[in-house]
Amino acid sequence: MNAALELGGTKTVVAVGENNGDLLDEYRFPTTTPEETLGRVVEWISAKTSPEAIGIAAFGPVRIDTKATDWGTMLASPKPHWNGFSITAALLAAFPESNITLETDVNAACLAEARIGAAAGMENVAYITIGTGIGAGILCGGRLLHGALHPEFGHILVPRKMGDEFAGICPFHGDCLEGMASGSAIGRRWGKPAHELSSDHPAWEIEAWYLAHGIIGLLAISPPQRVVIGGGVSQVEGLHDKTEELVRVLAGGYFPAVNEAPYVVAPKLGQKAGIRGALMLTGL
Ligand code: ZN
């Protein structure tokens, strides 16, 4: 039996199961300090099994390069106390015999959606999540995409929609994608949270505009066969279709992948994508 951990900014999920993503049991609790959170994780897993392998899906930024001396360490995290904490060291101390694999939460969710979810069987998939921030996991040629760090899709720079004077809220770039289209940006722009805006609110035309431009960036670099958009903000009716339509217009006939409908879809695994993807990491 293997174990998996999905470490989110607000909630943590720990599970035992199989490397095909089948969950046998899971436990969810709020993320607090690193010591307390990992303490609960270790205690729960220990009571269930001595895992052969552990897959971790973590919020970022986090060092996922296995050759780096600080592999598994949280980097410049906006979450107090987590900066510099090594998740892998904490788990290896408790389970020294376990084989540990670490990925970003969005890459793990992308893997799960690509294997058994909304893009099942595809080897080129992007999984975008829109919540407080924006992130994406990317499967390209069957492999999860990494670089010097990991993709930071939320910070892609997007052209402004004509007449849009909203300054954007990214502390680093102002009007990057996350600065213009994250749940926090929507809240600041309209003075109320995204879930209180009706599906015919003008907010969603603007949202689709920025998302579609971000997706064109993906198409140009790591072309997905399908784009899955999840996260709380994505749940408004019609956003996937609006975005897909605009992506097709912006593609200008140039990116053949977008002609295969449906191109922009909702996730199938919902809240389970991250933890099931984390279990799949134990089989990579
Ligand atoms: Zn930014």
Side-chain angles (χ1 to χ4, degrees):
M1 193 157 44
N2 294 323
L5 163 65
E6 182 189 7
L7 187 63
T10 54
K11 70 162 186 353
T12 294
V13 189
V14 57
V16 286
E18 306 300 336
N19 65 15
N20 62 1
D22 281 354
L23 286 170
L24 297 173
D25 198 2
E26 65 164 10
Y27 171 49
R28 294 174 177 251
F29 59 93
T31 304
T32 55
T33 62
E35 292 76 15
E36 191 183 5
T37 305
L38 269 294
R40 287 175 86 166
V41 166
V42 167
E43 197 183 333
W44 190 86
I45 295 175
S46 305
K48 297 276 171 194
T49 186
S50 176
E52 214 168 283
I54 306 175
I56 310 169
F59 70 90
V62 59
R63 185 74 70 202
I64 55 174
D65 176 2
T66 50
K67 294 187 212 79
T69 52
D70 59 350
W71 172 62
T73 300
M74 303 302 290
L75 308 166
S77 170
K79 284 273 295 175
H81 315 298
W82 284 86
N83 202 345
F85 180 79
S86 174
I87 312 163
T88 49
L91 285 174
L92 278 171
F95 307 105
E97 307 295 323
S98 296
N99 184 18
I100 293 186
T101 314
L102 170 76
E103 266 295 346
T104 58
D105 47 4
V106 278
N107 260 353
C110 185
L111 183 64
E113 290 291 346
R115 286 200 176 164
I116 55 170
M122 295 184 175
E123 294 209 324
N124 303 287
V125 177
Y127 173 88
I128 300 172
T129 178
I130 320 169
T132 320
I134 293 181
I138 300 167
L139 189 73
C140 186
R143 300 178 64 156
L144 293 169
L145 195 69
H146 302 155
L149 184 57
H150 43 71
E152 284 280 4
F153 175 70
H155 297 277
I156 198 167
L157 301 181
V158 281
R160 264 172 184 278
K161 191 170 189 330
M162 202 183 289
D164 186 1
E165 290 178 3
F166 180 63
I169 60 151
C170 175
F172 303 97
H173 317 111
D175 59 1
C176 63
L177 179 60
E178 179 168 303
M180 298 304 271
S182 62
S184 314
I186 294 172
R188 183 85 62 82
R189 184 195 282 271
W190 301 103
K192 49 173 139 173
H195 69 262
E196 288 181 16
L197 303 173
S198 62
S199 61
D200 58 355
H201 192 282
W204 303 114
E205 292 297 327
I206 298 176
E207 185 70 6
W209 162 276
Y210 289 111
L211 284 174
H213 280 80
I215 291 168
I216 292 292
L218 287 177
L219 273 160
I221 295 177
S222 54
Q225 291 160 268
R226 186 165 289 173
V227 177
V228 183
I229 306 184
V233 173
S234 73
Q235 287 169 14
V236 65
E237 203 191 320
L239 183 63
H240 294 87
D241 290 347
K242 257 194 198 75
T243 305
E244 174 167 327
E245 262 169 51
L246 198 50
V247 166
R248 213 161 273 140
V249 172
L250 292 172
Y254 194 73
F255 301 110
V258 304
N259 299 327
E260 294 290 325
Y263 189 66
V264 177
V265 300
K268 267 207 181 137
L269 304 175
Q271 293 218 332
K272 303 274 186 195
I275 192 67
R276 296 189 73 174
L279 267 175
M280 290 173 186
L281 295 176
T282 63
L284 291 187

